């Protein structure tokens, strides 16, 4: 196609370029001008990550062709800050916690600036409408809306004189303080480098040929024509895998590149690396694969049938686990009321805005380095080393900023293709999946079918619970082995049941793989059990708060497995805080024709891997020559703020300024192993490692200075990056002087600690004689800690259309200790909106193995228009073994929401939705059925 000449203004600078007319403005900005602050989340206008201001209007740059750009003016995030001074929007996003993963942030800020340029004092509804085309999967929109309002107030001040100066973090104690995230500034300025933002000289571009069928034998792969294509540097198939052609975090049952068989449409069959992306795409079409299509298995029910085709030769049942305690038959015999019901939840897409992307390059020692967004850099390294036939020290994985993850970036995706491509070609390589590719290949939240039977006395004492959970884990095990165990354990909710029988079954099918997603199997069962309890409380005529409070877990009571809770059980306080907040506020008035409803739900979730898995994390803390401190931890920060938390812990212990703490995370060559960032475990495990390493370094510093100054060690204290005499208060040394002193003596002021959690046990068989005969020594110890939460939803429901509008969410969460309250609130906000999507909108639809949900828009994740007012409440029941009493938050935030909303719908219109999502069509049909037509 003949190129055209385009003249335009970009951030005030005149640009003249020769470009293809069909080139998008997004690609021009990113690839030609290297203005990578504008992000590519979907290339279809669905996400808003690419938003720029074009001639004064917020515009999705992925939809604008360069043929329409002559004479026009564009402003990107890079043009917003001036001379190192932030625009009020950028500063407000930093100060008020509107930044998490940061991938949506530049586009969100530009959409907000376009609004404020035309409407200096917008209302909340005007703000919501202005950013409705900009998706955020992390924040829940609350902090974003607050930040836009705050920026408007600054801009409207009479004394406003331009972009605001950066404010420094206060000195002194920082644990328990809402300090700004360490990564917030580069994210609001568009300077944070995600994988697709990296450009290496001479790098090749890769594309994957995915399976054409959900289930088929591979008879032949002919790549000869693709290999002859000019500009193609390598075509890789299973024959090129130098090591063991198996990957998987728990069970190595998935081929790195499919060889003899494909089991779902996300199986890779071949990979092409070429000089440019277009050449790679052309070559991909020239690869000829001969298949023998096989009958597929597309539901767990079908997989369980004796005559069903086998997805794996070992059988279709991937895992069956049982939890049993007490005597279930006696429990139901003693019950005055018994409630039975079936529930179902669908596959759900993570919908992170950054698709899978990475860069790799060969290293001088014959190994390979990979830069990628990952939750598990060390597991990635281990799997890659085996598949590449290399030792672990030859594989370096560097975790980059991630545009969301929520569990799906825990596992190998394109990592192996990048590594093998770099090794085979001897060149740097890059790969970025399209949204369509991402949707078809990465793991989803499991589809569940759940069968519940519960019993209680007429005065509301829970006696018995029986549940059968059936999960569709898709074509490979992924993390489904642990997901079904977690779901089974937590199927009881945060309540004491003397008689328990729980069975979990997970089956292989030829659907897209299901794996880890925020909550790890617990959101599904929490929705079911909380719906059951709501029905039971109504049948007994007991207030839902009083009913839950009577049966709530507390110190000294056991969970389903028999593990006795030893401390930090804030369940009852979360109930009390939600109740008092609800009672203190006036209820909103529903619109005419709408009914108001209030629903309640609680939940609990483990902290750490538990169930017998070894759980540990390491940290190195060191004094640098400039007097600053550096922390090296293996944990991955995917937007939840763990790097900031590690900095706060170290600053608190060392008496150092928070801003002087450098944090390096997730680099297998530079950091100790930190385990996966999953199971809400990093604040606890990596936090404990940083705490102990910092304490050791503080003692070494005190000993050195005491010896040098002729003091007792307990006379030496570090405060605000200075070493002082506690008796006289005089400054003995600055940390810069200390670094010089240590260097002169050949002393390395550094400390390392590997924190190993208390050993846990996997699921046990039935306990003979029931719980009453189990003493503390005999009771199983399955998890190191638990988080608890209660949420109330206030909704309005249109009785004619079935439409639901969630007006408010009150969310009280026991986090042990809020190391950074603003971070905790952000997790609660984001979790509530993700839970809202689970409750009302989201379903990843698969038909006969093919995903019908093939765009980001079809995922139906909530926008700012659906997001309710969220009232986050932090409950601090300190965990004795946690750093400063902290435990996990992130997963817990999303668990009770769906149950609370479903119960509120029932409260409003008297129909109970047992099949999520509770769409308006389902509600309307249920209302019609109740009315008899």
């Amino acid at each position: 196609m003949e190129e055209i000449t385009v003249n335009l203004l970009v951030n005030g600078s005149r640009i003249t370029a020769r470009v293809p007319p069909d080139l998008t403005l997004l690609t021009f900005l990113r690839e030609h001008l290297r203005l990578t602050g504008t992000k590519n989340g979907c290339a279809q206008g669905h996400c808003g990550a690419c938003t720029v201001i074009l001639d004064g209007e917020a515009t999705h740059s992925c939809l604008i062709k360069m043929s329409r750009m002559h004479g026009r003016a564009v402003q990107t995030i890079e043009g917003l800050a001036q001379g190192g001074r932030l625009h009020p929007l950028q500063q407000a996003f930093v100060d008020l916690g509107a930044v998490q993963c940061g991938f949506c942030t530049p586009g969100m800020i530009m959409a907000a600036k376009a609004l404020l340029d035309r409407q200096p004092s917008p209302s909340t509804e005007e703000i919501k409408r202005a950013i409705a085309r900009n998706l955020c999967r992390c924040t829940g929109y609350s902090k974003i809306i607050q930040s836009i309002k705050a920026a408007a107030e600054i801009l409207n001040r009479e004394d406003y004189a331009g972009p605001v100066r950066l404010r420094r973090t206060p000195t002194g104690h920082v644990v328990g303080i809402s300090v700004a995230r360490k990564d917030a500034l580069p994210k609001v300025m568009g300077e944070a480098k995600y994988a697709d933002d990296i450009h290496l000289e001479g790098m090749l571009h890769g594309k994957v040929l995915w399976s054409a069928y959900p289930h088929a034998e591979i008879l032949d792969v002919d790549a000869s024509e693709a290999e002859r294509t000019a500009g193609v540097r390598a075509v890789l198939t299973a024959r090129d895998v130098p090591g063991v052609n198996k990957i998987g975090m728990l069970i190595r049952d998935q081929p790195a590149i499919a060889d003899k068989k494909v089991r779902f449409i996300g199986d890779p069959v071949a990979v092409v690396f070429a000089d440019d992306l277009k050449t790679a795409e052309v070559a991909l079409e020239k690869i000829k694969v001969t298949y023998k299509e096989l009958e597929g298995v597309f539901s767990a029910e079908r997989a369980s049938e004796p005559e069903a085709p086998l997805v794996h030769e070992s059988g279709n049942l991937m895992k069956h686990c049982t939890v049993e305690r007490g005597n279930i038959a006696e429990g139901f015999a003693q019950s005055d009321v018994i409630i039975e019901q079936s529930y179902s939840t669908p596959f759900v897409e993570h919908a992170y805005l950054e698709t899978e992307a990475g860069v790799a390059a060969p290293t001088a020692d014959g190994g390979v380095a990979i830069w990628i967004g990952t939750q598990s850099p060390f597991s990635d390294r281990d799997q890659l080393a085996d598949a590449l036939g290399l030792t672990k020290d030859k594989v370096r994985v560097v975790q980059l900023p991630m545009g969301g993850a929520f569990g799906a970036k825990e596992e190998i995706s394109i990592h192996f293709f990048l590594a093998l491509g770099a090794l085979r070609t001897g060149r740097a390589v890059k790969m970025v999946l399209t949204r369509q590719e991402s949707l078809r290949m990465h793991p989803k939240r499991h589809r569940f079918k759940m069968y519940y039977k519960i019993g209680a006395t007429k005065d509301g004492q829970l006696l018995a619970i029986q549940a059968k959970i059936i999960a569709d884990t898709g074509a490979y095990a992924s993390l489904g082995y642990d997901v079904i165990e977690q779901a089974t354990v937590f199927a009881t909710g945060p309540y004491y049941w003397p008689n328990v029988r729980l069975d979990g079954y997970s089956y292989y099918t030829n659907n897209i793989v299901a794996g880890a997603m925020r909550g790890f199997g617990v959101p599904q069962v929490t929705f079911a059990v909380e719906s059951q309890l709501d029905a039971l409380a109504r049948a007994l005529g007991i207030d839902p708060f009083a009913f839950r409070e009577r049966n709530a877990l507390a110190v000294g009571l056991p969970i389903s497995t028999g593990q006795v809770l030893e401390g930090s059980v804030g369940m009852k306080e979360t109930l009390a805080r939600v109740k008092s907040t609800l009672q203190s506020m006036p209820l909103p008035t529903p619109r005419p024709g709408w009914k108001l409803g209030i629903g309640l739900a609680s939940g609990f979730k483990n902290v750490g891997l538990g169930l017998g898995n070894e759980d540990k994390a390491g940290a190195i803390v060191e004094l640098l020559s400039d007097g600053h401190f550096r922390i090296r931890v293996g944990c991955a920060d995917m937007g939840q703020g763990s790097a900031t938390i590690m900095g706060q812990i170290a600053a608190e212990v060392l008496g150092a300024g928070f801003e002087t703490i450098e944090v390096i995370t997730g680099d297998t060559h530079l950091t100790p192993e930190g385990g996966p960032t999953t199971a809400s475990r990093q604040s606890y495990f990596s936090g404990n490692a940083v705490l102990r390493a910092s304490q050791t370094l503080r003692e070494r510093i005190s000993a050195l200075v005491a010896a040098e100054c002729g003091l007792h060690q307990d006379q030496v204290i570090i405060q605000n990056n200075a070493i002082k005499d506690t008796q006289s208060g005089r400054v003995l040394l600055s940390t810069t002087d200390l670094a010089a002193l240590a260097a002169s003596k050949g002393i390395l002021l550094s400390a390392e600690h590997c924190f190993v959690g208390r050993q846990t046990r996997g699921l046990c068989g039935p306990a003979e004689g029931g719980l009453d005969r189990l003493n503390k020594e005999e009771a199983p110890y399955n998890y190191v800690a638990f988080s608890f939460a209660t949420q109330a939803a206030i909704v309005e429901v249109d009785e004619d259309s079935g439409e639901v509008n969630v007006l408010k969410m009150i969310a009280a969460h026991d986090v042990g200790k809020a190391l950074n309250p603003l971070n905790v609130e952000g997790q609660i906000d984001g979790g509530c909106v993700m839970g809202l999507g689970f409750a009302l909108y989201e379903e990843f639809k698969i038909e006969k193995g093919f995903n019908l949900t093939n765009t980001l828009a079809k995922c139906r994740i909530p926008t700012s228009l659906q997001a309710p007012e969220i009232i986050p409440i932090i409950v601090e029941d300190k965990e004795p073994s946690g750093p400063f009493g902290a435990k996990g938050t992130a997963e817990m935030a999303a668990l009770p929401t769906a149950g609370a909303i479903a119960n509120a719908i029932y409260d409003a219109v008297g129909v109970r939705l047992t099949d999520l999502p509770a769409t308006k069509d389902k509600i309307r049909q249920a209302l019609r059925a109740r009315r008899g037509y």
Side-chain angles (χ1 to χ4, degrees), residues 779-801:
Y781 184 81
N782 307 113
Y783 300 100
V784 297
F786 299 88
S787 295
F788 298 84
T790 297
Q791 295 179 4
I794 304 175
V795 309
E796 57 177 3
V797 184
D798 186 338
E799 286 192 291
D800 292 327
S801 69

Side-chain angles (χ1 to χ4, degrees), residues 239-388:
R239 294 187 293 270
D240 299 295
V241 178
V244 179
N245 191 12
K246 292 290 183 183
I247 58 173
M249 285 193 74
L250 300 177
I251 302 173
R252 300 281 180 93
D253 64 350
Q254 185 168 358
I257 301 178
D259 46 7
K260 299 176 182 178
K261 192 177 184 182
V262 290
R263 294 180 174 87
F264 84 118
I265 60 170
D267 265 326
V269 178
V271 187
V272 173
F273 287 97
D275 292 341
D276 57 71
L277 193 58
K278 184 64 176 178
T279 300
E281 291 170 343
V282 169
L284 210 65
E285 295 177 358
K286 297 179 180 180
I287 300 173
K288 300 171 184 175
V289 183
T290 305
Y291 294 98
K292 178 185 176 183
E293 189 175 2
L294 301 173
E295 181 184 350
V297 180
F298 303 121
S299 71
E301 291 80 3
R302 173 60 173 151
S304 68
E305 295 172 357
E307 74 283 2
L310 293 180
V311 180
H312 292 268
E313 289 71 19
S314 59
N316 291 338
L317 180 60
M318 189 270 292
K319 171 74 173 177
H320 172 217
C321 52
T322 299
V323 174
E324 186 172 4
R325 199 185 69 241
N327 188 312
I328 196 71
E330 288 184 7
F332 283 121
Q334 295 166 7
S335 297
D336 297 311
V337 179
I338 295 173
I339 301 287
E340 294 187 68
Q341 185 58 264
S342 298
Y343 299 88
S344 59
T345 60
F347 291 116
V348 176
E349 161 66 20
H350 300 70
Y352 35 73
L353 296 192
E354 179 205 26
T355 63
E356 292 75 7
V359 176
T363 54
D365 62 355
V368 65
I370 304 168
W371 294 266
I372 196 166
T374 174
Q375 296 176 238
S376 309
F378 288 88
S379 173
D380 294 345
R381 177 202 63 186
D382 295 351
Q383 293 181 66
L384 289 173
D386 290 344
L388 294 168

Side-chain angles (χ1 to χ4, degrees), residues 525-850:
V525 295
T526 300
F527 156 67
V529 73
E530 289 297 319
S531 297
Q532 282 285 99
L533 289 177
D534 190 69
L536 185 56
R538 289 178 182 275
L540 294 169
I542 299 176
D543 172 77
F545 282 101
F547 182 61
R548 286 171 172 80
E549 199 276 339
R550 169 167 186 172
N551 295 285
L553 287 172
V555 173
L557 291 176
I559 67 169
S560 62
T561 62
Q563 176 179 347
V564 176
L565 299 175
E566 300 174 357
S568 187
V569 185
M571 171 61 189
K572 291 185 179 181
E573 187 176 349
T574 67
L575 281 164
R577 295 286 296 277
V578 170
K579 183 178 181 179
S580 63
T581 302
L582 189 60
Q583 291 174 336
S584 67
M585 66 171 57
L587 290 179
T589 302
R591 290 171 284 179
W594 295 63
K595 295 291 187 181
L596 194 72
I598 301 173
L600 180 69
S602 297
F604 80 131
K605 180 71 173 61
N606 57 295
V607 173
L609 303 176
L611 293 176
N613 294 291
E614 184 183 41
D615 217 346
K616 61 183 181 180
I620 298 171
V621 182
E622 52 199 343
L623 179 66
L624 305 178
S625 60
D626 62 0
H628 292 180
F629 291 92
R630 175 189 290 151
I631 307 167
R632 289 186 278 154
V633 284
C635 63
D637 192 327
M638 53 185 176
Q640 84 281 25
S642 62
T644 300
I645 293 299
M646 301 308 140
Q648 288 180 263
I649 292 172
E652 185 78 16
V653 175
L654 292 169
F658 173 71
E659 291 183 341
T660 69
I661 303 285
E662 176 190 354
V663 184
I664 297 175
T665 64
D667 185 328
T668 58
H669 272 36
L670 296 180
T671 65
E673 189 163 353
T677 296
T678 186
S680 304
R681 60 181 295 278
Q682 291 297 3
S683 290
Y684 181 92
F685 284 91
S686 289
N688 265 322
V690 170
L691 177 71
R692 286 158 172 74
S694 298
Q695 290 169 337
T696 300
L697 180 57
R698 182 186 63 195
E699 292 169 2
R700 290 175 181 172
I701 290 172
S702 299
L704 174 62
V705 174
E708 185 71 17
C709 298
L711 301 172
H712 292 293
Q713 188 170 341
D714 58 7
Q715 286 181 251
V716 177
I717 189 172
I718 312 173
Q719 287 182 338
N720 300 327
N721 286 73
I723 297 88
K724 299 180 179 180
D725 180 345
T726 57
Q727 292 185 354
S728 66
R730 68 186 178 94
V731 175
L732 303 172
L733 292 169
S734 69
T735 51
T736 305
D737 296 334
L738 174 64
L741 172 64
S744 69
K745 294 179 175 293
I747 298 173
L748 181 64
L749 286 177
S750 174
E752 181 172 2
H753 185 87
C754 179
F755 176 78
V756 181
R758 181 175 165 186
Q759 183 59 50
T760 60
R761 288 170 55 183
L763 295 186
C764 303
E768 292 185 11
L771 172 70
D772 294 338
R773 294 188 56 189
L774 287 173
N775 58 38
K776 187 174 180 180
E777 287 69 36
E778 293 171 327
Y781 184 81
N782 307 113
Y783 300 100
V784 297
F786 299 88
S787 295
F788 298 84
T790 297
Q791 295 179 4
I794 304 175
V795 309
E796 57 177 3
V797 184
D798 186 338
E799 286 192 291
D800 292 327
S801 69
E803 185 177 349
V804 178
N805 181 26
V806 181
L807 302 173
K808 292 179 186 288
M809 292 294 307
I810 305 167
H813 287 248
D814 167 26
V815 301
K817 168 68 178 177
L819 301 175
N820 187 317
L822 196 62
N823 269 17
V824 172
E825 289 179 359
Q827 290 299 299
I828 294 172
D829 291 344
C832 283
V833 173
M834 186 173 281
L836 179 147
F838 181 49
L840 298 179
Y841 309 117
E842 299 180 45
E843 178 178 6
F844 188 85
K845 295 182 178 180
I846 303 175
E847 186 174 292
K848 295 185 178 180
F850 292 91

Side-chain angles (χ1 to χ4, degrees), residues 80 87-94 109 112-113 116 147-148 151 155:
L80 206 54
H87 187 277
L89 275 167
Q90 294 170 306
Q91 187 66 61
F93 269 57
V94 172
I109 288 176
K113 182 177 186 296
L116 297 184
S147 297
I148 296 171
L155 288 167

Side-chain angles (χ1 to χ4, degrees), residues 455-477:
T457 63
K458 59 185 177 183
D459 60 352
Q461 180 186 349
L462 296 176
L463 291 182
I465 182 167
Q466 185 171 5
K468 180 181 180 182
I469 304 155
I470 299 174
D472 184 338
T473 203
Y476 299 102

